[in-house]
Each structure stands twice: as structure tokens, then as C-alpha cells.
Amino acid sequence: MALFWAMSAGFVRGVGFVPRHRAWRLMFSGGACLLGIALAAVRMALLNSPQ
């Protein structure tokens, strides 16, 4: 889910659309994209770590 969120945020910001409402603007910002990628990477690392 975090990776899908990151892809959505990257797409929205990449086409140059900036939402008017502050909450949407934060959810689709460049920082949100980086956060989503980081969360996805951490989750993948935890799933692939030996027990």
C-alpha cells in the first residue's frame, strides 16, 4: 500500500497538479512520495530478513 501511495503522489506531483486543500497537498507532496518509498523499503527488508 505504501508503494501505491508513493506512486500516486509521484504521478500527481509529476504532472504538475497541486491540490488546493492542505491535507491533499500534503498527501501528494514530494515528501510523501519519499516517505511511501521508505516505508515500502522497510517493509520489504523486514519480510526478507532471516528469522
Side-chain angles (χ1 to χ4, degrees):
M1 291 297 284
L3 192 55
F4 291 139
W5 171 40
M7 288 189 309
S8 298
F11 179 74
V12 168
R13 187 56 69 164
V15 297
F17 179 72
V18 180
R20 292 183 185 170
H21 196 272
R22 184 177 182 150
W24 289 112
R25 196 174 14 200
L26 289 173
M27 286 179 52
F28 293 116
S29 67
C33 182
L34 291 175
L35 178 64
I37 291 171
L39 288 173
V42 167
R43 187 176 190 296
M44 291 298 290
L46 291 175
L47 286 175
N48 292 329
S49 64
Q51 297 287 332

